Amino acid sequence: MEMLNTLSDTKVLEDLRALSARENEVTCEILLYLIEVDNRKLYLEQGYGSLFDYCTRALGYSEPAAMRRITAARCSREYPGVYQRLKEKKLTLSSISVFSSVLSKENVQSVLEAVCGKSKREVELYVSRFRPAKKL
């Protein structure tokens, strides 16, 4: 195995960009598989009571990582545009977790336009407009 410290700066940065692209591709593929496992409820056959339980215990995801993936998978199943934008790196798993609760058939296009390319904090601010203000 080649030691990273022997690579040129240019090579390290090129390789990192390529790995990042592959990581996104694999994440999107994992979501497709999670959708299928969820649709078929295959986790039950494996002795797990929920997809979350399967993701944390069988796949070894942390609880927050499992929730982000499950939320993104289910949101992608319901709204294919979400998946496409994730694949294009216009959305992140974290941002999908934030805005998924406010999506509807009626607002999906406007929400996606508003959140694509935004940071998680910007998405949180946008989503806060959908929630009523707390009474003092």
Side-chain angles (χ1 to χ4, degrees):
M1 179 164 76
E2 191 173 30
M3 298 302 298
L4 293 180
N5 63 0
T6 65
L7 300 176
S8 70
D9 293 352
T10 301
K11 179 70 172 151
V12 168
L13 294 173
E14 286 174 2
D15 288 355
L16 184 56
R17 277 191 291 277
L19 288 167
S20 177
R22 282 193 358 229
E23 178 182 33
N24 189 60
E25 291 169 10
V26 169
T27 296
C28 288
E29 193 168 356
I30 287 170
L31 294 184
L32 294 177
Y33 275 83
L34 287 176
I35 290 168
E36 195 60 28
V37 168
D38 200 22
N39 286 343
R40 297 184 195 189
K41 301 206 181 312
L42 296 177
Y43 51 85
L44 293 173
E45 296 173 10
Q46 301 297 308
Y48 298 96
S50 66
L51 183 58
F52 177 79
D53 193 27
Y54 179 77
C55 285
T56 55
R57 293 179 47 217
L59 301 179
Y61 286 115
S62 68
E63 291 180 2
M67 281 308 305
R68 283 190 301 271
R69 281 157 182 77
I70 292 167
T71 300
R74 288 176 175 164
C75 189
S76 294
R77 176 178 56 203
E78 184 76 17
Y79 307 103
V82 170
Y83 178 81
Q84 185 58 42
R85 285 164 181 86
L86 179 67
K87 198 170 182 177
E88 296 167 355
K89 290 186 147 187
K90 293 179 180 177
L91 293 174
T92 65
L93 295 176
S94 294
S95 65
I96 294 169
S97 293
V98 172
F99 72 76
S100 64
S101 64
V102 301
L103 278 183
S104 68
K105 297 284 185 195
E106 295 76 32
N107 73 8
V108 64
Q109 290 306 320
S110 61
V111 170
L112 289 177
E113 287 174 20
V115 299
C116 279
K118 300 291 193 281
S119 70
K120 182 181 176 189
R121 181 66 186 134
E122 290 170 315
V123 174
E124 288 170 338
L125 287 172
Y126 174 78
V127 168
S128 70
R129 300 178 201 164
F130 289 85
R131 297 199 169 89
K134 292 182 181 179
K135 295 182 181 181
L136 299 174

